[in-house]
Each structure stands twice: as C-alpha cells, then as structure tokens.
Amino acid sequence: MFVADFLDICDPVFAFDRLMEEAEVSKYLRSRPYRRTGRPGYDRVNMLKTVLFGFMEHGYAALRTLDDSCRVNLRHMYLMDWETPSYGAFGYFIREELQGCIEEIFQAINACIFEKEHVDLKHLYIDGTKLEANANKYSFVWKKGTEKSRYKLFKKITALLEEMNESLAPFGVRMEPNTEYAPEYLDLLLERYLEVTQITFVSGRGHHKSREQRYCERLTAYTKKLREYTEKLRICGPERNSYSKTDRDATFMRMKRDYMGNDQLLPAYNVQIGVADGYIAVVDVLQYRSDMDCFIPLLQQFYDLYGFYPEFPVADAGYGSYNNYLFCRSHGMGLYTKFPMYERETKDKKYSSDPFRAVNFQTNEQGELICPNGRRMRFSYRKAVKGNHYGRQEEVYVCEDCSDCPFASQCKKTDQNRTIRLNQELTDIHREVLQNLNSIHGALLRRNRSIQAEGTFGIMKQDRDYRRARRRSLDFVRTELFLVSIGHNLYKYYNNLQKLRTAA
C-alpha cells in the first residue's frame, strides 16, 4: 500500500520532501561504520526528514511526539517508509548524528530556500531574547559570593598553619603562610607535615585523637572546600558571574516574564537571531547577559555562513556601543543600530537641545570647548573605558572657573568646577546614526525590524509554543535552536507557497 495515495497532492509533506532532495541534506550525514552483528539501523535520511518535518509542523517536536506520529500520522509514515523508530532512537539520532552537522544542514536548507525566494541578505534585522534553561531555579552559584567565601577560607587556612607551626617547632621546621593558596600546595604541605610528625591515626569509640591528627583533618577539609571553590570559579570563567548547578552552561539572567512574581533571576541562555525577509538567516546561543556583547559574534557567524557581512545590520538600542559601531565601520557595514539614548534624543526636544549637556558645548576659534557661560573647559586627562576592545578613551575637561556663575544650579550639582567626560568620535558616530535612522530608508528599516525580528520571536514563542529550552548544556541547546530555526524557515516557505497558489 502506498501512503502517498492517501495524501492530497498539495500536502505540505510533498513540498518538504522536494526541498530536502534539492538541498541534498543526505551528504551532510556522517558515514556509519559497517557492523556484521546487531539489528540494522533505520534509514538516517528518513530519520532526518522526519525530525525536520516534525519541527516544521509543531515548532518544537518532542521525542515522544515523533515516536507517536510515526505510528498514526500518514505524513510521518510516508517519510519513514512505514518504519516506527522509538523516542530513544530519535533522541540518539539528534544527540549523536546531528550534533556536529546541524549547522551545515541549516546552511544548505537556507541556501535552497533563499535562492527560490530571492531573499535579500543585505538587510539583516537583529533581535535577541532570554530563553529559560532546563535547570532548577534555586540551583544558582554566584561568582562574587564564591570569591568572598574563598578569601574567608584563606584566612582560616593561615590561622591553621600558624597553629601547626607550633607543633613543628620541636622539629625545627616551619610552614610559611601566604595570603592565597592553591589546593595542590595544601596537599604538598599536608604530605610534608605527615612525614615530619609521623602521626598514628586513630578512630572509633574509646580512642582520643591527637592534636596533630586534628590539624590534618582540618587541613584536609579546608583543601576539599578550596578545591570546590576553585572548580566553581573555573566553571564561571572570566565572562560570567553565575551558573546553575543542574545546567552549568546556563547563566542567571533577568527575564521579562517573571512568573514567580518576585523579580528573581532565572537560569537562561541569550538567543540571538538575524532575520532577512522573514527567514532566520543566522542564529546563535550565547551566555552573555547583555545584548551588546552578542552583536559581533552573531555577525561573525553570519560571515562564516555566507562569506560576506550584511550591508545594513539593523538592531535596537540594546546593541548600540562603541565596539559594535567600530566593528561595522571596519567591515563596510552601515550604522543603523540605535544607541541607548536614541528614543530620548529623538523625542525629547528639551533633552536633545539642553545647552548644559557636554555634547552641546560650543567651541571657539582655537578649538576649545566653551561652557554656556562663555568660560573655557580645560583638558585634564584621558581615561580608558573598561572592557573596550578598540582602545576607547574618554577625555576629561574641567571648567577654568565656575565661581559666580549664574547657571551653576542648572549646570552642576557640586561646589567644584564643572567636569565633563567626552569622546568626540563616539559623539560623531551618534550623529551619523541619527542621520541614518531619521532618513526615509532608516525609518523603513526601523519599521521592518520590529515586524520581522520581533515578529519571528512572536511566532516561535507564542504561536508555536517554544518558550523554554528542553535540553541542557550549550552545545545541545544550540542544536535544538538550529532545529527550531530550520522548522520555522520551512514553515514560512510552505506558507509562502500556499499564498502563491491562492493568488494564482
């Protein structure tokens, strides 16, 4: 019996199957070693088609949903050719087979769709969201708290070493205490202490522990605790301040949807997408809490996929920073990303034209800054901005004399001379961004960004009910997001085909 005979000729499974054949997704699956024994495996191309079609149909396809669909759904029967893999087989296939090649499959399917739909990749609309991780809510580890506890432990270790030196005095040996310790160093100290003292360890009821044995037990406990703190700090790394015990790659972030009602941080991932003509052109999963740090990695991944940078990357004010603007300039991209004070700059005329703002100070013929009272602002020093990758510096200026100034109450809040910090290059960049975004082209780009990028997240989270990561660890969550993105693009492609048929 042919399952295709029971399906409509315009069924989405046929359009999906044709697209998979044109994209040649089978060549991205790794070859499986031949085995003489054991049950023969399922056809991996059929498994891939079934998984991708499940994500296209449901938004997110659970393993048991795929298992059940292969038994009762004609579309999945057609794709699997009557075979019925279990949910465990689908889980193994996604975990072992798709883990290393899902990005290549995403690229191949996008290339096929973009060629058919004539997608414009010069305009990229960027947005991000915090996706809650599959982790317990109260499993947090805070980096600052761990460091504080570790320094308290250092003091305890120093006090213990001073006590142990008293027992070592008859032997003429001394252990030098430090301000900080490593677990390996404490292990070495304990080993040498045992060699010198020759302690006989006792335990159980009726035995009295010696002073030296108690010292060794305390030092062993401190070493174990210090090793635990060191491991926690290693997991956090230099760029994170927290992580979850049940998913160590998840970072605690502030979510917009706080269903606990107490404004509590929740374990999450920062999901970034770049949308072109309604299709997800690039997707990335990061551990940064701020969107500013996600802008450059997303564009670099776009370049790795397509071999060029978009000409007009459009993003909201959460991405506007000096680093991101210089990155766009250095790679030939236009400055169409808002900066944090963009809305106030464009809508609040009193703020934008305030003469007491540093950016509105005038200059005289010698190029010196002049305050609203006509007094010179003298250059004091340059200050490096923390965390800047391009060597950004702020110039600090101090007014020559603010005494008897009639505008003192409006200009400053202290009794000292007015001090301002200014970066002329960043000020010029903000003016260029304002000019670009306030043009007709910029207004259209801003409107399209809110429709396409935010609308894509609306479809994924509200319409297709994907609000939380189902898998744990960064690599598996990335695989899951690629599958969801492929499903969204296939869903969008079939809807466009239906619109063309209806119009015809």
Side-chain angles (χ1 to χ4, degrees):
M1 184 173 64
F2 296 99
V3 183
D5 296 339
F6 297 91
L7 296 173
D8 186 76
I9 193 173
C10 295
D11 196 273
V13 73
F14 293 134
F16 167 82
D17 197 22
R18 286 194 299 269
L19 185 66
M20 292 297 104
E21 295 297 332
E22 293 176 8
E24 298 180 355
V25 295
S26 59
K27 66 181 182 181
Y28 299 103
L29 295 174
R30 293 173 296 180
S31 59
R32 181 184 296 171
Y34 175 74
R35 294 185 303 176
R36 293 184 177 181
T37 59
R39 179 181 176 180
Y42 297 103
D43 188 284
R44 295 185 301 156
V45 177
N46 292 345
M47 291 279 286
L48 176 61
K49 290 181 180 180
T50 305
V51 170
L52 295 183
F53 186 78
F55 278 87
M56 168 187 169
E57 193 174 28
H58 301 287
Y60 176 81
L63 299 179
R64 293 184 183 274
T65 301
L66 295 173
D67 182 347
D68 186 63
S69 298
C70 291
R71 304 175 190 276
V72 299
N73 193 315
L74 289 177
R75 294 168 177 169
H76 288 262
M77 291 180 182
Y78 167 77
L79 293 174
M80 279 303 304
D81 195 17
W82 288 99
E83 291 184 317
T84 56
S86 65
Y87 69 91
F90 281 114
Y92 178 84
F93 177 76
I94 294 174
R95 183 175 61 254
E96 301 295 335
E97 300 283 345
L98 297 184
Q99 184 68 30
C101 62
I102 187 62
E103 190 169 355
E104 296 176 350
I105 295 173
F106 172 75
Q107 182 180 4
I109 294 175
N110 277 2
C112 190
I113 293 177
F114 293 171
E115 183 181 358
K116 291 176 176 293
E117 295 288 294
H118 305 288
V119 175
D120 178 20
L121 291 176
K122 292 183 179 180
H123 296 81
L124 187 69
Y125 305 100
I126 299 172
D127 198 14
T129 187
K130 306 295 192 303
L131 186 70
E132 186 177 352
N134 183 12
N136 296 345
K137 301 175 183 62
Y138 298 102
S139 59
F140 40 75
V141 174
W142 305 108
K143 184 177 181 180
K144 291 183 179 180
T146 303
E147 289 178 342
K148 185 177 180 181
S149 301
R150 188 177 63 153
Y151 279 106
K152 288 182 178 179
L153 183 61
F154 287 158
K155 294 180 180 179
K156 293 181 180 180
I157 295 173
T158 301
L160 176 60
L161 292 181
E162 293 292 348
E163 296 179 13
M164 296 174 69
N165 284 331
E166 296 179 2
S167 62
L168 291 174
F171 301 96
V173 180
R174 176 178 173 80
M175 295 186 295
E176 291 296 332
N178 298 320
T179 56
E180 296 184 4
Y181 302 92
E184 295 78 13
Y185 177 69
L186 296 182
D187 290 335
L188 182 61
L189 289 182
L190 181 60
E191 181 181 352
R192 292 182 178 179
Y193 184 79
L194 293 174
E195 291 178 359
V196 173
T197 56
Q198 297 294 325
I199 305 171
T200 302
F201 284 85
V202 297
S203 62
R205 190 172 181 179
H207 295 87
H208 179 70
K209 295 181 181 179
S210 63
R211 180 182 60 173
E212 290 76 11
Q213 180 177 348
R214 295 182 186 275
Y215 288 157
C216 291
E217 291 178 352
R218 286 171 58 189
L219 185 59
T220 303
Y222 290 162
T223 304
K224 181 180 178 182
K225 200 66 178 177
L226 181 59
R227 188 171 279 109
E228 177 184 338
Y229 291 154
T230 304
E231 178 66 15
K232 289 180 178 179
L233 294 176
R234 186 196 62 81
I235 294 173
C236 276
E239 298 179 345
R240 289 202 296 167
N241 292 326
S242 62
Y243 74 90
S244 172
K245 294 178 182 177
T246 47
D247 185 359
R248 295 184 172 184
D249 290 337
T251 307
F252 277 79
M253 306 178 185
R254 195 171 302 279
M255 312 284 287
K256 290 182 179 178
R257 184 177 64 95
D258 182 20
Y259 49 79
M260 302 187 72
N262 54 6
D263 198 32
Q264 184 179 4
L265 301 179
L266 296 175
Y269 292 96
N270 197 338
V271 177
Q272 300 289 320
I273 61 170
V275 182
D277 290 345
Y279 292 99
I280 299 177
V282 60
V283 61
D284 202 3
V285 183
L286 300 160
Q287 298 171 308
Y288 303 117
R289 295 173 297 168
S290 173
D291 288 338
M292 285 186 182
D293 300 326
C294 304
F295 185 78
I296 294 177
L298 185 70
L299 290 179
Q300 287 177 339
Q301 185 171 354
F302 182 92
Y303 180 82
D304 294 338
L305 288 174
Y306 303 103
F308 62 91
Y309 290 99
E311 188 175 349
F312 303 99
V314 187
D316 60 11
Y319 298 86
S321 69
Y322 184 80
N323 288 346
N324 296 341
Y325 289 137
L326 288 191
F327 181 82
C328 291
R329 273 188 171 179
S330 61
H331 292 87
M333 293 179 280
L335 302 183
Y336 288 86
T337 301
K338 296 179 182 178
F339 49 88
M341 298 300 290
Y342 173 81
E343 293 295 329
R344 192 174 181 185
E345 189 79 36
T346 54
K347 296 182 179 180
D348 191 348
K349 293 183 179 180
K350 183 178 179 181
Y351 171 80
S352 60
S353 60
D354 185 4
F356 301 104
R357 288 180 61 205
V359 295
N360 292 333
F361 280 15
Q362 302 297 322
T363 57
N364 57 15
E365 297 178 355
Q366 290 76 26
E368 298 174 323
L369 288 174
I370 303 298
C371 75
N373 195 30
R375 297 178 180 176
R376 293 180 299 174
M377 303 293 294
R378 293 179 177 175
F379 173 76
S380 179
Y381 61 93
R382 284 185 175 86
K383 179 182 179 182
V385 178
K386 183 180 179 181
N388 191 270
H389 304 297
Y390 288 89
R392 174 187 166 189
Q393 292 182 338
E394 289 182 337
E395 299 176 350
V396 180
Y397 295 87
V398 181
C399 183
E400 59 181 359
D401 186 16
C402 287
S403 60
D404 301 328
C405 179
F407 307 112
S409 60
Q410 299 173 306
C411 186
K412 58 191 183 73
K413 298 181 180 180
T414 64
D415 297 334
Q416 305 294 327
N417 291 337
R418 172 71 188 273
T419 302
I420 62 172
R421 293 183 300 175
L422 193 64
N423 184 282
Q424 192 60 44
E425 186 178 7
L426 182 60
T427 303
D428 295 339
I429 289 175
H430 285 176
R431 289 172 182 166
E432 183 180 349
V433 172
L434 285 172
Q435 182 180 357
N436 291 341
L437 292 179
N438 290 334
S439 64
I440 297 177
H441 184 214
L444 292 175
L445 292 182
R446 284 188 284 122
R447 180 182 179 185
N448 270 330
R449 194 208 70 83
S450 61
I451 293 173
Q452 295 198 31
E454 296 180 8
T456 299
F457 274 127
I459 293 173
M460 292 170 59
K461 299 172 75 173
Q462 186 65 33
D463 298 349
R464 296 166 72 78
D465 197 27
Y466 180 69
R467 297 185 178 90
R468 183 176 181 179
R470 270 64 165 189
R471 289 168 174 80
R472 294 180 177 180
S473 82
L474 184 62
D475 292 337
F476 290 120
V477 173
R478 278 177 55 85
T479 301
E480 182 178 307
L481 259 296
F482 273 114
L483 289 172
V484 172
S485 300
I486 292 173
H488 171 83
N489 288 349
L490 294 171
Y491 173 76
K492 181 83 175 178
Y493 172 72
Y494 177 72
N495 286 344
N496 289 344
L497 289 181
Q498 290 297 103
K499 291 178 182 178
L500 293 176
R501 292 193 183 101
T502 303

